[in-house]
Amino acid sequence: MTTTANATAFTPAALQHLIGNGTAPRLLDVRTPGEFQTSHIPGAYNVPLDTLREHRGELRRHLDEDVVLICRSGARASQAEQALAEVGLPNLRVLDGGMMAWEASGAPVNRGPERWELERQVRLIAGSVVLVSGVVGFFVPGVHLIGTAIGAGLTFAAVSNTCAMGMMLSKLPYNRGPRTDIRTVVASLRDRS
């Protein structure tokens, strides 16, 4: 366990140690199915954040042991931790640094087809809108305010630790990947008990 501001964070090294000892906790990856399909920790279950929030009561009944929540960097996993804590699930941890830290540590990863991560897609869309509105703003008065609105949205996203653009982009077919069936996830959790 780390001594960072998030007392429930779990380092990749600590998780690797538990997996190596055969005492691995349940691993819930809350990224989109597309992100999960690209790369994930072996043995992890994909329960996208929206699905987790919607079915957290049902998941609660099947998660009676330690749980480590995983996302790209830790932000969505922290939101998942809060949602599961609200239904009384104890023993929650967040993988400190998410998949980025896991991969950087050289830990094993199951890989699928490459996709751009949501954060990279947000940077592309936001940057393109700001660039285009800035250029067009030289010729059409007021268009530059679109870029200002995008900047305000990004600032709000940072302060609130949410991202409306990212949530919208996650709904695109490119990002959805195979649909997560909560019944299959629950059955897998039940079978492992």
Side-chain angles (χ1 to χ4, degrees):
M1 198 125 92
T2 63
T3 57
T4 62
N6 182 358
T8 62
F10 219 64
T11 65
L15 182 55
Q16 286 181 57
H17 177 73
L18 290 177
I19 291 171
N21 285 345
T23 57
R26 297 286 178 103
L27 306 176
L28 296 185
D29 192 318
V30 300
R31 297 174 301 152
T32 66
E35 289 174 293
F36 182 81
Q37 192 176 35
T38 297
S39 68
H40 63 272
I41 298 172
Y45 298 91
N46 183 222
V47 185
L49 184 57
D50 291 342
T51 302
L52 181 137
R53 284 181 178 143
E54 183 179 340
H55 297 280
R56 61 189 169 175
E58 187 175 355
L59 289 168
R60 163 67 177 104
R61 292 190 298 270
H62 301 286
L63 294 171
D64 54 358
E65 56 200 45
D66 290 340
V67 174
V68 174
L69 299 160
I70 305 157
C71 67
R72 179 180 180 275
S73 64
R76 285 178 279 175
S78 294
Q79 293 173 30
E81 177 187 31
Q82 182 179 0
L84 290 172
E86 288 172 1
V87 294
L89 189 62
N91 305 323
L92 297 169
R93 303 285 185 261
V94 172
L95 181 60
D96 195 18
M99 282 300 294
M100 291 171 38
W102 180 262
E103 290 185 60
S105 75
V109 175
N110 287 348
R111 294 204 181 280
E114 284 293 318
R115 297 173 193 256
W116 277 22
E117 298 163 342
L118 274 178
E119 182 181 321
R120 186 175 180 189
Q121 293 174 50
V122 167
R123 290 191 315 250
L124 173 70
I125 299 298
S128 297
V129 170
V130 170
L131 176 65
V132 169
S133 67
V135 171
V136 172
F138 284 118
F139 307 104
V140 180
V143 172
H144 71 283
L145 294 176
I146 296 170
T148 302
I150 294 293
L154 292 173
T155 301
F156 177 78
V159 170
S160 66
N161 201 24
T162 62
C163 183
M165 186 181 296
M167 287 186 278
M168 289 187 301
L169 288 171
S170 73
K171 306 290 186 212
L172 294 174
Y174 173 81
N175 290 316
R176 283 192 304 225
R179 183 167 165 76
T180 300
D181 178 22
I182 193 66
R183 291 175 301 208
T184 303
V185 171
V186 167
S188 297
L189 291 171
R190 195 178 317 117
D191 290 345
R192 183 169 172 226
S193 295

